[in-house]
Amino acid sequence: MEAIRTRPAVTELRLSAFTSHRGAAFPLGPITLFTGASGSGKTTALRAYESLARLGAGASLRDVFPDPVACVPERAAADAQGRRGFRIGCTVDGPAGPVQLDIAVQAEPELRIVGERLTSGGQTLLTTALRDPGRRTVQAAWHTAGAVPVTRAPLPDDRLSTALLPLRVAGRTEGQLQVLAAAEQTVVALRSVFVCDPQPQLMRQPVAVGKGRLRRGCENLAAVLDRTRDQSVARHDRLAAAARAGCAGPVTELAVERLADGTVRALLARDTSGARAATPVERLGEGELRYLALALVLLTGPGVLAMDQAVELPPELRSLTVLADGFDRSLDRRQARELLSLAAAVCAEGHLRLVGAVGDASYARGAAGVTVVDLDP
């Protein structure tokens, strides 16, 4: 249980000023489902989380926000210099205790980070500020607590400074070690994210055999199953059990067939009236395909998913957060309940967390370990 408690995890998402959200703070548990009417900001919340995750992994602002003006709150007026922007942040719990990260991004006239703050226990560990608009840097100051209480240095204005600190802080003083622990905890939690949005229209075709990891749209599901089904019999058995619970007919097995042209396709083996048959997954409905893909994601790990891996951490400290917009899209109520039950069982093991957006959360309210964030007024 100790290893479970010390895995870094994002426990709050803050949208101080981001598209339709102002002054919003959302608690995040082992399973968090955002719900609300169309336009209430469910997808926006997940997009903000993904943006923080990509910044934590070292991506540039331009890569993360290709249309930054769209992130500026509606009706936000420019200041006297014509500047407009947005602010997002999060809290990360872990061995270093709760750590808060907040960033302010200027979208106009130039995209840049104009302010960043990393705090823990009421103490400011890192601040950045734009001192000279003519330079593509911010002035960073981080806690040292040595002969010099604060270290100052210019850092790029298009990267998250928190992610750069492990390369800049020596770790010789108690203060530097505190800064390093907080920064590393934050970066590890943010980068341990897999964004999943299965695309049934892309999952219906056989795919080439390969060693690639499962992609965001899950279009290469059959190839991943072909590669991993013998690596963990217990995991494959759990996936087959999930298929039986969420797919029509008496499913007996989830199999893979290699075709003459070198491609593979996934099959559902069924036993109907004593006769065995195999249904290629391309014949399944959208709900069944999305259900199978999400079940595979929940039951697998970073080594199988196309995501950044914290390989420098021991396995007992590694974690995975799945971001699933439209978690219940195309699913019937039975499938949604079964998938949530599977998620609850996996998340209870401590190494996985789920943040999703759903149209209807009535089946999830009151469920153990599930936080429902209702965005309706």
Side-chain angles (χ1 to χ4, degrees), residues 242-264:
R244 283 192 289 273
C247 296
V251 176
T252 58
E253 180 60 90
L254 179 60
V256 176
E257 178 184 20
R258 292 201 172 209
L259 304 179
D261 61 359
T263 60
V264 292

Side-chain angles (χ1 to χ4, degrees), residues 264-285:
V264 292
R265 64 180 180 182
L267 305 169
L268 284 185
R270 290 187 167 100
D271 190 343
T272 305
S273 301
R276 292 186 176 274
T279 303
V281 297
E282 58 260 33
R283 298 181 189 175
L284 301 181

Side-chain angles (χ1 to χ4, degrees), residues 58-355:
S60 71
L61 271 184
R62 182 59 63 184
D63 287 339
V64 175
F65 300 108
D67 184 13
V69 176
C71 301
V72 178
E74 299 173 0
R75 298 181 296 279
D79 65 11
Q81 287 74 42
R83 297 174 299 191
R84 297 200 309 153
F86 53 91
R87 290 178 288 130
I88 56 178
C90 64
T91 297
V92 176
D93 276 303
V99 178
Q100 292 79 36
L101 169 69
D102 294 283
I103 64 172
V105 178
Q106 176 185 289
E108 294 177 323
E110 294 179 286
L111 178 63
R112 61 204 314 178
I113 295 178
V114 295
E116 180 176 343
R117 183 180 297 270
L118 189 72
T119 60
S120 179
Q123 183 173 30
T124 299
L125 302 179
L126 164 73
T127 59
T128 71
L130 181 64
R131 301 299 186 193
D132 184 352
R135 295 178 179 271
R136 297 309 314 228
T137 60
V138 291
Q139 183 65 31
W142 58 85
H143 182 58
T144 305
V148 178
V150 175
T151 301
R152 291 181 171 85
L155 292 177
D157 68 352
D158 67 339
R159 293 290 196 281
L160 190 69
S161 294
T162 296
L164 299 175
L165 281 181
L167 303 176
R168 301 296 298 267
V169 179
R172 295 192 182 97
T173 70
E174 182 179 345
Q176 288 175 338
L177 291 173
Q178 184 182 3
V179 169
L180 277 176
E184 289 172 351
Q185 173 174 294
T186 302
V187 169
V188 165
L190 287 176
R191 63 188 270 207
S192 302
V193 166
F194 179 66
V195 181
C196 180
D197 187 9
Q199 301 295 310
Q201 71 275 17
L202 302 179
M203 297 168 60
R204 297 187 185 281
Q205 300 300 320
V207 295
V209 176
K211 297 183 179 180
R213 294 182 288 170
L214 188 68
R215 295 193 283 269
R216 178 178 186 144
C218 300
E219 61 270 25
N220 61 332
L221 178 144
V224 171
L225 284 175
D226 179 66
R227 180 169 61 87
T228 64
R229 58 180 174 166
D230 296 328
Q231 294 177 0
S232 175
V233 175
R235 180 175 62 197
H236 190 77
D237 287 346
R238 291 182 75 179
L239 183 59
R244 283 192 289 273
C247 296
V251 176
T252 58
E253 180 60 90
L254 179 60
V256 176
E257 178 184 20
R258 292 201 172 209
L259 304 179
D261 61 359
T263 60
V264 292
R265 64 180 180 182
L267 305 169
L268 284 185
R270 290 187 167 100
D271 190 343
T272 305
S273 301
R276 292 186 176 274
T279 303
V281 297
E282 58 260 33
R283 298 181 189 175
L284 301 181
E286 287 198 1
E288 289 180 309
L289 284 171
R290 283 185 58 84
Y291 174 90
L292 283 176
L294 287 166
L296 174 61
V297 170
L298 292 171
L299 287 170
T300 190
V304 179
L305 305 175
M307 59 173 290
D308 187 42
Q309 299 183 69
V311 294
E312 70 278 12
L313 289 179
E316 65 271 15
L317 290 182
R318 296 177 194 171
S319 62
L320 167 65
T321 297
V322 175
L323 297 186
D325 193 13
F327 179 72
D328 61 348
R329 187 187 310 139
S330 300
L331 304 186
D332 60 32
R333 194 174 182 82
R334 174 183 60 89
Q335 290 170 326
R337 284 198 303 265
E338 291 291 347
L339 197 60
L340 183 64
S341 177
L342 176 64
V346 175
C347 291
E349 297 170 6
H351 65 275
L352 184 139
R353 295 168 72 87
L354 169 67
V355 181

Side-chain angles (χ1 to χ4, degrees), residues 15 20-21 24-26 33-37 39-46 357 365 372-377:
L15 306 184
S20 60
H21 295 284
F26 305 121
L33 298 179
F34 288 88
T35 188
S40 61
K42 303 185 297 294
T43 296
T44 298
L46 266 65
R365 297 186 188 277
V372 176
V373 178
D374 198 331
L375 297 180
D376 282 334

